[in-house]
Amino acid sequence: MATMDFGGVEETVITRKEFTLAKARRVLKKEVIAVIGYGVQGPAQALNMRDNGFNVIVGQRKSDRKGSSWQRALKDGWKPGETLFDIEEACEKGTIVQLLVTDAAQRQIWPDIKKYFTKGKALYFSHGFGIEYKEQTGIIPPKDIDVIMVAPKGSGLNVRRNFLSGAGINSSYAVEQDATGKALDRCLALGIAIGSGFLFPTTFRKEVSSDLTGERGALMGCLAAMIEAQYDVLRANGHSPSEAFNESCEELTQSLIRLVDENGMDWMYRNCSATAQHGALKWRPIFKKALVPVFEKLYKSVVTGKECKEVIRDCGAPDYKEKLDAQLDEMANSEMWRAGAMCRALRPHEKARESKVGIQGRKSN
């Protein structure tokens, strides 16, 4: 374990130096890890564990034999009857069952799979939703199994990409129920097995509260709204779609956020022009003051269960997929994101871009 000091606040994290891949293999040597769901997180975690030498099987719905997820699993080399099974059969075979279907789907399949969680098994999540909101989801595990969580801080796509690059992705971990006395070791071993760069502790409650806030806020909802708002103001004042998109999004994703990633927000500020620094430092507190009440309202909606009820209601509806597609199509076909598609199509090759821009980022002088 490594202790990190955040200006007087200490936090213990687990790295691959303290909990090695070799140790993870020893801990999970006799386990059969059943990955249930092959949509977003399922493929990445299953493939990473398989590549790391663990005994992994995949469970998918019977009705999905001709669907995209089943076909994707076949393409990825999972073999029916050997490493690819119907959900119930995979749950029966697994000693550790990773429930990686959507939150709404967990609620739907739990009545059919709960009988397979016999004494000594482990139930694994990558999100605290199903357990934290058990009154709404109905997911109440038996007392004689371990209940654990490893939650990668990124999409399944990046869990796989980071694994293949050797970087790993940050993950949080939690033990909700330790029936066997080895729940923590199982949990950490799985975190290493799926390719985590480092693991930091949380609880199911804290994970779901921070995760739902982040997705609806800075990571997705607020981010999209902020970009759209600035784009709309620029367009309303006579700027072209290309100019509005580049100033609202392209520079953010292709230049500035990369500098933040490298060394932090202050470093990005230091590598921008004096004019950019002055304006950003002036307007930062103004935006923060305007946004804090919105985030407080969002957090309250999360912790009171309002967001949970809406997720279960809307994502479990029979016409959910059609409504989702309509909303995403509306976004994709908006002028701003059509301008974005044009920018991506015209974007120079990465190496050519780096040779012209270098590491100094936006408008350095």
Side-chain angles (χ1 to χ4, degrees):
M1 296 185 180
T3 301
M4 311 293 288
D5 189 337
F6 299 95
V9 178
E10 291 190 348
E11 184 175 336
T12 301
V13 301
I14 309 295
T15 73
R16 289 182 285 192
K17 290 182 179 180
E18 290 86 34
F19 204 109
T20 64
L21 182 57
K23 181 177 180 179
R25 287 173 178 154
R26 290 195 298 271
V27 170
L28 301 177
K29 184 178 180 180
K30 297 181 180 179
E31 306 278 13
V32 178
I33 306 165
V35 175
I36 307 303
Y38 211 74
V40 180
Q41 282 289 334
Q45 295 196 32
L47 290 170
N48 291 359
M49 288 189 291
R50 187 178 71 182
D51 288 352
N52 270 333
F54 295 90
N55 186 7
V56 185
I57 62 176
V58 171
Q60 262 301 109
R61 295 177 185 271
K62 293 179 181 179
S63 58
D64 191 46
R65 289 295 177 95
K66 295 182 180 180
S68 59
S69 294
W70 185 276
Q71 294 303 313
R72 181 180 180 183
L74 292 175
K75 186 177 179 181
D76 286 344
W78 304 100
K79 300 182 183 301
E82 296 180 20
T83 55
L84 179 59
F85 302 92
D86 295 331
I87 285 178
E88 290 190 41
E89 189 173 0
C91 288
E92 184 176 21
K93 290 179 177 295
T95 58
I96 296 174
V97 178
Q98 296 190 343
L99 200 54
L100 300 182
V101 296
T102 66
D103 295 323
Q106 288 179 18
R107 177 173 176 263
Q108 293 169 355
I109 69 172
W110 179 251
D112 298 322
I113 66 173
K114 61 182 180 181
K115 61 187 174 185
Y116 299 111
F117 289 94
T118 53
K119 184 177 180 179
K121 286 195 174 187
L123 175 58
Y124 165 111
F125 296 88
S126 280
H127 187 25
F129 191 99
I131 294 297
E132 175 59 21
Y133 300 124
K134 55 183 177 289
E135 292 82 6
Q136 289 89 355
T137 65
I139 300 175
I140 302 176
K143 297 294 184 182
D144 56 1
I145 70 167
D146 294 338
V147 181
I148 57 182
M149 175 177 64
V150 177
K153 298 299 109 179
S155 69
L157 182 64
N158 284 328
V159 170
R160 183 62 174 163
R161 282 178 176 173
N162 284 28
F163 174 82
L164 293 174
S165 74
I169 198 162
N170 305 337
S171 301
S172 60
Y173 72 92
V175 174
E176 179 76 6
Q177 186 169 289
D178 182 8
T180 66
K182 57 182 182 179
L184 180 59
D185 274 354
R186 277 172 145 179
C187 183
L188 296 177
L190 288 164
I192 298 301
I194 68 169
S196 301
F198 75 84
L199 296 138
F200 59 92
T202 188
T203 65
F204 274 62
R205 173 169 293 184
K206 288 181 179 177
E207 191 282 333
V208 77
S209 299
S210 60
D211 190 75
L212 291 183
T213 300
E215 291 167 347
R216 285 149 178 76
L219 303 178
M220 293 178 69
C222 181
L223 175 64
M226 180 229 9
I227 293 169
E228 291 167 8
Q230 179 172 300
Y231 179 92
D232 288 349
V233 169
L234 290 174
R235 289 289 289 126
N237 283 277
H239 297 270
S240 70
S242 290
E243 186 168 58
F245 184 81
N246 273 275
E247 292 295 342
S248 301
C249 184
E250 188 76 351
E251 290 194 40
L252 170 67
T253 60
Q254 296 304 299
S255 176
L256 300 184
I257 207 66
R258 298 183 180 194
L259 300 184
V260 177
D261 174 61
E262 287 179 40
N263 282 299
M265 188 71 73
D266 62 307
W267 194 78
M268 182 267 277
Y269 275 41
R270 293 181 192 279
N271 286 277
C272 291
S273 70
T275 301
Q277 292 167 354
H278 181 275
L281 290 169
K282 171 190 172 182
W283 281 92
R284 173 174 168 256
I286 298 172
F287 280 117
K288 184 174 179 180
K289 184 177 180 180
L291 286 170
V292 165
V294 180
F295 277 96
E296 288 174 339
K297 180 179 180 180
L298 165 58
Y299 192 77
K300 182 178 180 181
S301 186
V302 169
V303 298
T304 58
K306 183 175 184 290
E307 296 297 311
C308 164
K309 291 176 182 176
E310 291 178 0
V311 166
I312 291 174
R313 180 195 67 201
D314 297 340
C315 296
D319 60 347
Y320 168 69
K321 184 65 166 57
E322 290 76 11
K323 288 183 176 179
L324 172 65
D325 287 342
Q327 288 177 301
L328 296 181
D329 287 344
E330 181 183 7
M331 181 186 292
N333 293 321
S334 67
E335 182 192 89
M336 188 185 83
W337 288 111
R338 282 189 282 116
M342 182 196 71
C343 282
R344 289 190 297 276
L346 297 175
R347 190 180 291 160
H349 189 274
E350 184 68 13
K351 290 182 179 179
R353 188 193 69 81
E354 289 180 354
S355 68
K356 292 179 181 180
V357 178
I359 65 166
Q360 291 303 305
R362 182 183 190 269
K363 301 174 183 173
S364 301
N365 58 19

